[in-house]
Amino acid sequence: MQKHMIIAGATDQGKSNVVKLIITQLLERKPNETILTLVDLKSGLAFNRFKKCEQINAIATDIQSTLTALQGVKMQMEGVFKHLDENGFEDVKEAKIKYRHFIFIDECAELASKGEVDSERKEIKQQCETILSDISRRGRAAGFYVIYSTQYPTADVLSTQIKQQCDARICLRVKNDYASKVVLDQEGAEKLPEIKGRAIYQTAKNTMLQIPFISNNYIEGVVKRCGRN
């Protein structure tokens, strides 16, 4: 997986399962090449099973720790850009840098600054939005990818700028055609069968698929054996 991505779906449609599935597959398939920054702004519990992974760069559970984590990611990204520039490389692929850094935002609605009434929180959220926008715009060349997930797909949460940078989108069943249009730029996800994990996967075209369920026991098994060599 080397694309920015949006994952959206109404409550209890399997969005968290998708996120955990992707993380687990990265750990299982590319343990020596994966770096993870995990942001969980719902409860702070979604990523508990991954806390001890060597691949974890940071886990954030509130907006202040999210800003700190994202500032660290940006510094790392700038360091890669400096290395590429100094050595005449176009991107990490040409430079033969194998590491890829994935930033998972679980409930990006909690980072939306629009509508925030507390001035201090609004400022922090705006800083987070600015950094995420920068990573989304420039990060691929340096091997940095953002995965945004939300239960509340609105234009304030998934701005046009974010969507333009995300050429992969997974949309599970959503509440209405407006939410489907926000994620996919078209209706359809609101009409998906009421089957947990049924989704539309959009890249150049739309593909309906069934997301497999991943058990916590399977995740824990992968985590135990995914240390770096």
Side-chain angles (χ1 to χ4, degrees):
M1 189 188 93
Q2 295 188 5
K3 298 179 179 180
H4 300 308
M5 180 181 287
I6 295 169
I7 302 169
T11 303
D12 202 36
Q13 292 301 307
K15 177 183 63 64
S16 293
N17 179 72
V18 178
V19 174
K20 291 192 290 185
L21 177 66
I22 294 173
I23 294 172
T24 304
Q25 288 298 296
L26 287 170
L27 292 172
E28 189 167 37
R29 296 183 179 187
K30 299 286 185 179
N32 298 319
E33 300 173 11
T34 296
I35 301 172
L36 298 169
T37 292
L38 308 179
V39 176
D40 175 15
L41 294 169
K42 294 183 303 179
S43 62
L45 302 176
F47 298 131
N48 266 354
R49 285 181 169 80
F50 302 106
K51 283 183 176 180
K52 295 182 180 179
C53 292
E54 296 176 29
Q55 292 81 359
I56 295 295
N57 173 69
I59 294 181
T61 57
D62 56 57
I63 60 169
Q64 183 58 65
S65 61
T66 298
L67 177 58
T68 300
L70 292 178
Q71 288 172 332
V73 171
K74 181 176 172 62
M75 288 180 62
Q76 293 173 44
M77 185 179 75
E78 296 297 350
V80 176
F81 276 126
K82 182 179 179 181
H83 171 78
L84 296 176
D85 181 55
E86 290 176 346
N87 291 277
F89 295 123
E90 184 176 330
D91 55 29
V92 288
K93 186 175 181 180
E94 184 183 8
K96 294 183 172 53
I97 296 173
K98 293 185 177 181
Y99 284 104
R100 299 294 182 267
H101 195 140
F102 299 91
I103 303 97
F104 285 83
I105 310 294
D106 195 3
E107 202 40 74
C108 56
E110 296 296 326
L111 281 182
S113 62
K114 190 170 183 178
E116 176 59 65
V117 296
D118 184 286
S119 59
E120 183 177 352
R121 287 176 59 86
K122 187 179 185 72
E123 171 63 25
I124 294 172
K125 289 182 177 184
Q126 287 174 334
Q127 291 182 61
C128 290
E129 289 173 330
T130 298
I131 295 172
L132 285 168
S133 177
D134 185 36
I135 296 170
S136 297
R137 191 177 65 256
R138 299 192 297 136
R140 294 184 207 206
F144 288 72
Y145 304 95
V146 182
I147 298 88
Y148 300 90
S149 68
T150 184
Q151 296 177 6
Y152 312 103
T154 68
D156 292 340
V157 172
L158 298 174
S159 66
T160 300
Q161 187 175 44
I162 288 175
K163 292 201 297 179
Q164 285 176 342
Q165 302 301 328
C166 293
D167 46 12
R169 306 174 192 180
I170 296 175
C171 192
L172 299 109
R173 185 178 174 88
V174 290
K175 290 184 177 181
N176 50 50
D177 58 354
Y178 168 75
S180 182
K181 289 177 182 177
V182 168
V183 181
L184 301 173
D185 295 321
Q186 63 187 67
E187 300 176 6
E190 80 284 1
K191 298 176 182 177
L192 284 168
E194 293 189 28
I195 301 171
K196 187 178 293 189
R198 189 63 55 89
I200 295 172
Y201 177 58
Q202 183 183 82
T203 51
K205 63 179 182 178
N206 288 350
T207 302
M208 187 180 293
L209 48 77
Q210 178 65 40
I211 307 293
F213 173 74
I214 185 166
S215 71
N216 287 330
N217 285 339
Y218 187 87
I219 294 172
E220 289 167 1
V222 171
V223 168
K224 286 180 181 178
R225 62 177 183 266
C226 73
R228 299 191 188 283
N229 295 325

